[in-house]
Amino acid sequence: MREADATTRERIADRLRGETLSASALAAEFDVTTDTALTHVEHVAKSLDGTGEQLLVAPPECRDCGFSDFDDPANRPSRCPECKSEAVAEPSFRIE
């Protein structure tokens, strides 16, 4: 399939097969909001069922204290529950 014929989700999946990217990086590349990029990533993950591929998620991590045990590893929290810092690196995604 030519890239021009591919859906945004298919193009996102192709990008995640070659590189680890955050939702904001995907949003910038595909000219969508970060929330929309996250929604696309969630749907891409579902479409991988039964394909032998999986979506790997590197969870968010506090840059100040290193906390990374967030309730939802796919969403970026506004602050760290441990130290209350707002310096939280967003999660990143890759397909393998």
Side-chain angles (χ1 to χ4, degrees):
M1 177 180 313
R2 291 185 4 224
E3 185 172 321
D5 297 332
T7 66
T8 300
R9 288 186 184 153
E10 290 169 334
R11 293 183 322 190
I12 286 174
D14 286 343
R15 286 291 284 129
L16 292 177
R17 284 184 181 97
E19 192 173 348
T20 302
L21 297 166
S22 66
S24 62
L26 290 168
E29 183 171 336
F30 293 98
D31 197 27
V32 296
T33 66
T34 302
D35 287 341
T36 299
L38 280 171
T39 300
H40 285 315
V41 169
E42 290 171 3
H43 283 274
V44 165
K46 291 177 185 176
S47 71
L48 295 175
D49 285 347
T51 66
E53 292 182 303
Q54 62 182 341
L55 179 74
L56 304 178
V57 180
E61 184 174 318
C62 178
R63 291 184 183 112
D64 289 341
C65 74
F67 181 81
S68 63
D69 193 26
F70 292 93
D71 292 336
D72 185 355
N75 286 312
R76 181 179 181 191
S78 59
R79 69 178 63 199
C80 175
E82 285 291 308
C83 71
K84 308 303 182 210
S85 171
E86 293 181 8
V88 178
E90 65 183 304
S92 57
F93 308 94
R94 180 179 185 87
I95 294 174
E96 288 190 6

